[in-house]
Amino acid sequence: MTTTATSHRTRPPAQPDSLRAKRLPWYAAPAIAVVALALSAVIVYGAGVGGPVLVVVLGAILYLVGLFTAANAVEGRRSARNRTWSALIHSAFVLAVLPLVSVVWTLVSKGASRLDANFFQTSMNNIGARDANGGAYHAIVGTLEQVGIATLITVPLGVLCAIYIVEYGRGKFAFAIRFFVDVMTGIPSIVSGLFVLAFWVLIVSPWFNDGRPSFSGFAAALALSVLMLPTIVRSTEEMLRLVPAPLREGAYALGVPKWKTILRVVLPTALPGIVTGVMLAIARAAGETAPVLLVAGGGAAINTNPFENNQSSLSLFVYQQAGDASKYAPARAWTAALTLVALVLILTIAAKLLARRNRLSR
């Protein structure tokens, strides 16, 4: 008798149907989306007021209205608001990803036609308008050298400047540095090119070239350095400020000097963020055209010496081929653009893996 009573008490009571929350079936949202798109297409194409883009936009609005109405009728107003906002968040994500997917698809579809050995092993020297050959070897060499030199100049300067601002900078001098870095962030690329043209090309380069001004890849690297420096300083500064203060205080409590604390504790902790900022600066510099055109001049021949004569870059090559009248030029431009994006992507992945490996080894 006691066992029967105990089992009866431990059995969970059955919930009545009135207490169970009603929910839309799993196929409700896709069905509403299909109906919304169909209705949108009928309205847009029936009225003749737009194309596929308007169909998608109007369909998204109708989908949100239909989803809210259906959820409000079945699940209640609170759940309907939750579903609607979730749909808006997912729509924002799709809207943000679509341009990226469109750019990648366009580059791959139009740039794949010249992905051959000839493109990566030859230059445009002695290539006429009716010649289907010709490549961007000289532009790839110029981009690697110019961006590499600019990175060697700006990374030490930018990191040291950020360390001074965060760890040592106090008073008006630090405020002035931060102010001018913020101002440099908004400088147009053409201004940096004009600055290097007026200073290096017209004043300094004649000292090394028998009194004659000379274009060079190094001048382009200096112009790119002006553009990269504020990005590296600001990103490194923010990463250093995110390092927890107890890490510094623990090192100081153990008697570690400040410079060694910065070198062994602060910088390794902020390294992934610093690498990200550096790669953003490199990506911006690799895509600049105006400074290279002003101070490097461009060229069709291969020039591996960045300190003498004209030198081209991938961004300048894209600009020149896009404006060329030859029917073979657009294919070269698209392939060069795809190469530039792939180059920046490879450098970014390599830098991230290197930073992650150094962090794990510690």
Side-chain angles (χ1 to χ4, degrees):
M1 183 70 178
T2 305
T3 305
T4 305
T6 302
S7 62
H8 178 72
R9 285 196 300 268
T10 58
R11 184 181 303 160
Q15 293 183 354
D17 294 339
S18 59
L19 296 180
R20 295 178 183 175
K22 296 181 179 180
R23 297 187 62 84
L24 288 174
W26 64 269
Y27 54 83
I32 294 173
V34 171
V35 173
L37 284 176
L39 182 60
S40 174
V42 170
I43 294 175
V44 171
Y45 290 117
V49 294
V53 176
L54 185 59
V55 170
V56 173
V57 172
L58 182 58
I61 296 174
L62 294 176
Y63 168 74
L64 293 175
V65 174
L67 182 64
F68 179 82
T69 304
N72 187 37
V74 177
E75 301 177 347
R77 189 173 186 84
R78 183 176 181 179
S79 181
R81 288 199 300 266
N82 179 62
R83 280 184 175 272
T84 303
W85 281 107
S86 298
L88 281 173
I89 293 172
H90 287 91
S91 300
F93 170 76
V94 173
L95 191 63
V97 171
L98 277 178
L100 177 61
V101 174
S102 176
V103 169
V104 172
W105 172 254
T106 303
L107 286 176
V108 172
S109 60
K110 295 189 176 182
S113 60
R114 281 302 315 273
L115 281 177
D116 49 37
N118 179 267
F119 184 82
F120 294 102
Q121 294 177 357
T122 61
S123 68
M124 291 299 295
N125 199 25
N126 298 324
I127 298 297
R130 297 183 179 181
D131 196 340
N133 294 322
Y137 178 77
H138 62 299
I140 296 173
V141 171
T143 296
L144 292 176
E145 290 184 350
Q146 294 162 20
V147 175
I149 294 173
T151 302
L152 292 176
I153 294 173
T154 53
V155 170
L157 287 177
V159 173
L160 291 175
C161 183
I163 290 175
Y164 173 79
I165 293 175
V166 175
E167 304 292 340
Y168 298 97
R170 299 292 184 274
K172 296 182 179 179
F173 185 63
F175 175 79
I177 293 177
R178 192 178 294 108
F179 172 77
F180 282 111
V181 168
D182 291 338
V183 171
M184 289 177 63
T185 305
I187 290 180
S189 59
I190 190 70
V191 175
S192 67
L194 289 172
F195 168 73
V196 175
L197 176 67
F199 172 69
W200 182 267
V201 176
L202 298 180
I203 297 178
V204 179
S205 66
W207 297 353
F208 308 98
N209 195 36
D210 298 329
R212 295 174 299 174
S214 175
F215 291 153
S216 65
F218 181 74
L222 292 178
L224 297 179
S225 300
V226 177
L227 300 175
M228 293 175 61
L229 185 60
T231 303
I232 295 177
V233 172
R234 291 298 294 170
S235 61
T236 305
E237 179 187 354
E238 295 301 325
M239 291 302 105
L240 294 178
R241 292 189 187 278
L242 291 177
V243 176
L247 292 179
R248 297 181 176 89
E249 295 169 356
Y252 297 154
L254 294 174
V256 181
K258 188 171 185 177
W259 68 269
K260 188 172 290 187
T261 300
I262 297 172
L263 186 63
R264 297 294 182 87
V265 177
V266 178
L267 285 178
T269 305
L271 183 61
I274 295 174
V275 170
T276 301
V278 171
M279 296 314 301
L280 288 175
I282 289 176
R284 182 190 177 186
E288 292 293 344
T289 303
V292 181
L293 181 61
L294 278 175
V295 299
I302 299 172
N303 178 20
T304 58
N305 186 356
F307 300 98
E308 292 182 0
N309 301 325
N310 293 23
Q311 194 176 57
S312 186
S313 69
L314 279 172
S315 58
L316 182 57
F317 181 83
V318 172
Y319 170 76
Q320 292 172 338
Q321 292 299 310
D324 199 313
S326 173
K327 67 177 182 179
Y328 304 107
R332 299 191 196 108
W334 283 111
T335 306
L338 178 60
T339 304
L340 180 60
V341 173
L343 184 63
V344 173
L345 179 62
I346 292 172
L347 292 176
T348 302
I349 294 175
K352 286 288 188 179
L353 292 177
L354 182 62
R356 184 169 177 264
R357 180 182 177 183
N358 291 340
R359 190 176 183 182
L360 292 176
S361 63
R362 286 189 293 271

